[in-house]
Amino acid sequence: VGVYAESVRIESPVELVADGEVKIVNGKGAPLSVDHHAFIRGFHLEAGHDEKDGTMQAVWIGDNFAKLVDCTMRTERCAIYAGKDGANVFVEGCRAIEPSIHGVLAQEGAHIAVTDTVIESPKGCGVLGEGNGEMFLEDVRVVGAEQPSISFRGETKAEVLRLRVERAGANGIEVLGSATA
């Protein structure tokens, strides 16, 4: 229980489960960086800026497996970013609050499944898949996205079940390039 001003970097297999209300706030970077297989449950993650005053993601995932359950993320960038070919990410029951870019961003060959998750007021897309990865979305709610609520670009392959889009500032779903959904 408590608020921790730090960055947690996962470099070996681990299961992190919050005991009560646990908030990790990092004013200088991503509060959670995943460089190895991890299961994370119940954390509130708030990101800040790096040493060049650039904004950071709340959760950065390398080319590993990560499962985030019941986490809340607040950031001035992407709530969850997976940009490597070997990334396999499962997001369940999470909430991204007012990300200044995207709620979930998958690039390169990242594979992401997002279920029972709410993305509130992103300045960019609620979910953006670009590159040649795969995405699965089920029971996702995107509220007030300024760009398309869901966007698949490049060669992304996606499956979407029970999407709810509210107060969209642009398209609900867009599929561009060779992407399929």
Side-chain angles (χ1 to χ4, degrees):
V1 177
V3 177
Y4 301 88
E6 63 182 290
S7 178
V8 175
R9 184 178 196 112
I10 297 172
E11 295 178 320
S12 59
V14 70
E15 182 175 323
L16 295 175
V17 178
D19 183 15
E21 300 223 2
V22 178
K23 185 184 227 181
I24 301 173
V25 179
N26 188 341
K28 296 185 180 189
L32 182 61
S33 296
V34 181
D35 288 323
H36 213 292
H37 305 316
F39 175 83
I40 299 102
R41 177 189 291 273
F43 287 87
H44 181 97
L45 305 160
E46 286 193 27
H49 298 79
D50 64 13
E51 59 277 353
K52 297 177 185 173
D53 205 35
T55 57
M56 298 302 295
Q57 298 89 1
V59 180
W60 180 92
I61 300 165
D63 58 350
N64 297 287
F65 169 83
K67 183 169 184 177
L68 293 118
V69 178
D70 298 331
C71 292
T72 299
M73 294 145 286
R74 186 180 295 272
T75 179
E76 292 184 35
R77 199 165 190 171
C78 300
I80 299 170
Y81 172 73
K84 295 200 175 189
D85 201 19
N88 287 289
V89 182
F90 293 86
V91 179
E92 180 183 331
C94 291
R95 193 167 158 214
I97 302 169
E98 298 178 346
S100 290
I101 302 183
H102 310 297
V104 176
L105 173 59
Q107 293 182 312
E108 302 305 324
H111 300 272
I112 294 188
V114 182
T115 63
D116 192 31
T117 292
V118 177
I119 301 166
E120 299 175 18
S121 304
K123 301 283 187 279
C125 298
V127 176
L128 173 59
E130 54 187 13
N132 61 347
E134 296 179 350
M135 299 192 85
F136 174 78
L137 309 177
E138 182 175 17
D139 294 320
V140 173
R141 182 173 158 227
V142 180
V143 181
E146 291 185 16
Q147 293 181 18
S149 296
I150 306 293
S151 182
F152 304 118
R153 304 172 185 173
E155 297 177 13
T156 300
K157 292 176 180 66
E159 183 175 351
V160 180
L161 302 171
R162 293 183 302 277
L163 169 67
R164 184 172 174 178
V165 173
E166 299 174 19
R167 299 186 315 271
N171 296 328
I173 298 177
E174 86 177 353
V175 181
L176 303 172
S178 298
T180 57

